[in-house]
Amino acid sequence: MEKREINILIVILIFFLSACSGTTTTTKPAVIKIKGSDTMFRLTQLLAEEYMKNNSNVSIYVEGGGSTDGITALIKGEANISTASRLPSSYETKLLADYYGSVGMFYLIAKDGITVYLNPKNKVKNLSHENLKNIFTGKTTNWLQLGGDNQPISVVTRPPNSGTFLYLKEHILEGSDFATNSVIKFTTEAVISEVEENTYSIGYGGIGFKYNDDVYRCLVDNIPPTEDNVRNDTYPLTRYLHFFTTNKPQGAIKDFIDWVLSPAGQKIIKKAGFIPLWEISF
């Protein structure tokens, strides 16, 4: 065999062995798993979709399930980012510290106003903090007691793994339990549907959910749940929405969070119906 033919065979063999060994220059895409708040589910989906448009090397998977489930998934290492409409409990903080030697990192990404939903046909349009406590605990059971029709109140609530459920339990019910005959719905959309269909029901959810004129956004202590009232903390049921990580984020996770906090990400938050951290102009 001539020397030239031998050299060609060597080159082919080297190429073949390289291909078989899997040594390529292709960069493996980064994967970010996010799980948590039902209130933040659609918002986080929109943020992920917009971010991936300009970052094709990153795949972001978003799941709901509730703030509690998200924090649990974070602790177990099943999620890179937990979304939550509340801060972690002392127990959850302890678990983070036990697993990771750190209480984790949290980021305020937006503001939200918990909206009290009423059916538009209900004569009642304004409820006080005390009214809400009495309604949701079952102490007030008839709309007639609040200036409405002589009809029983149907309380619609979320399950205990919901951050919004826990927020109301702490800030409105002051630790008391919800009424035992409450109707439990597992998503905010389901709460809205129940209020749409039942004239004498009452429910709650985040300000960013779209429902046209099918439900009425009740005033709380005479204050409407508007964007301005939430931003300046005038509305009584104002809160922050959070991202949590186990430790200081790196790589694609850090870049995604930085983008969410940037003007580009805050514009998506405003488009989604939630309140950006600062005034955003388009």
Side-chain angles (χ1 to χ4, degrees):
M1 185 179 292
E2 294 183 3
K3 184 177 181 180
R4 181 173 176 273
E5 292 174 333
I6 293 172
N7 290 338
I8 292 173
L9 286 173
I10 291 173
V11 170
I12 293 172
L13 182 60
I14 291 171
F15 177 80
F16 177 76
L17 291 173
S18 297
C20 290
S21 67
T23 55
T24 65
T25 57
T26 303
T27 303
K28 186 178 180 180
V31 175
I32 302 174
K33 296 180 180 180
I34 304 175
K35 183 176 177 64
S37 168
D38 169 72
T39 297
M40 298 174 66
F41 176 66
R42 181 55 184 155
L43 169 62
T44 310
Q45 277 190 323
L46 292 172
L47 289 167
E49 290 166 5
E50 191 67 25
Y51 178 81
M52 288 189 291
K53 286 179 183 178
N54 297 314
N55 294 273
S56 58
N57 63 325
V58 179
S59 296
I60 303 177
Y61 299 92
V62 181
E63 291 185 59
S67 297
T68 299
D69 287 0
I71 295 173
T72 300
L74 184 70
I75 292 169
K76 291 182 176 180
E78 298 170 355
N80 305 111
I81 298 173
S82 165
T83 57
S85 55
R86 61 172 177 84
L87 291 171
S89 67
S90 57
Y91 175 71
E92 290 165 336
T93 302
K94 182 180 183 302
L95 287 180
L96 275 169
D98 289 345
Y99 273 74
Y100 298 100
S102 164
V103 296
M105 303 285 292
F106 76 92
Y107 302 85
L108 308 178
I109 71 157
K111 296 186 80 171
D112 180 30
I114 296 178
T115 305
V116 177
Y117 306 134
L118 297 176
N119 188 288
K121 296 178 182 177
N122 195 327
K123 294 178 182 178
V124 177
K125 304 299 181 185
N126 176 57
L127 293 167
S128 69
H129 182 287
E130 190 68 19
N131 291 154
L132 291 174
K133 180 181 178 181
N134 291 337
I135 289 171
F136 285 120
T137 57
K139 184 177 180 180
T140 299
T141 59
N142 195 297
W143 287 110
L144 186 64
Q145 297 171 264
L146 302 165
D149 293 336
N150 185 15
Q151 294 290 337
I153 298 172
S154 175
V155 173
V156 187
T157 188
R158 298 288 315 287
N161 65 336
S162 161
T164 309
F165 171 98
L166 292 174
Y167 182 95
L168 259 69
K169 183 177 174 67
E170 179 180 351
H171 292 86
I172 296 296
L173 278 62
E174 299 173 355
S176 298
D177 292 328
F178 279 83
T180 55
N181 62 344
S182 298
V183 177
I184 298 175
K185 296 295 180 179
F186 288 91
T187 66
T188 305
E189 289 88 351
V191 172
I192 292 170
S193 294
E194 179 70 20
V195 176
E196 288 173 351
E197 295 169 6
N198 185 344
T199 303
Y200 300 106
S201 61
I202 180 172
Y204 57 85
I207 198 172
F209 286 86
K210 307 299 181 185
Y211 33 76
N212 301 319
D213 296 323
D214 297 326
V215 295
Y216 174 75
R217 297 184 180 194
C218 181
L219 279 66
V220 177
D221 293 329
N222 296 304
I223 301 170
T226 64
E227 180 175 336
D228 286 342
N229 288 338
V230 171
R231 179 178 291 108
N232 62 28
D233 295 322
T234 302
Y235 182 64
L237 302 182
T238 295
R239 63 178 176 176
Y240 282 97
L241 304 179
H242 310 82
F243 278 176
F244 295 110
T245 61
T246 54
N247 287 292
K248 187 175 181 179
Q250 303 291 330
I253 298 171
K254 179 182 184 302
D255 189 69
F256 173 65
I257 295 174
D258 287 345
W259 176 82
V260 170
L261 298 176
S262 74
Q266 292 293 301
K267 284 183 179 180
I268 302 302
I269 286 169
K270 185 177 177 68
K271 286 181 180 179
F274 291 92
I275 316 303
L277 297 176
W278 55 84
E279 186 66 42
I280 295 292
S281 59
F282 290 88

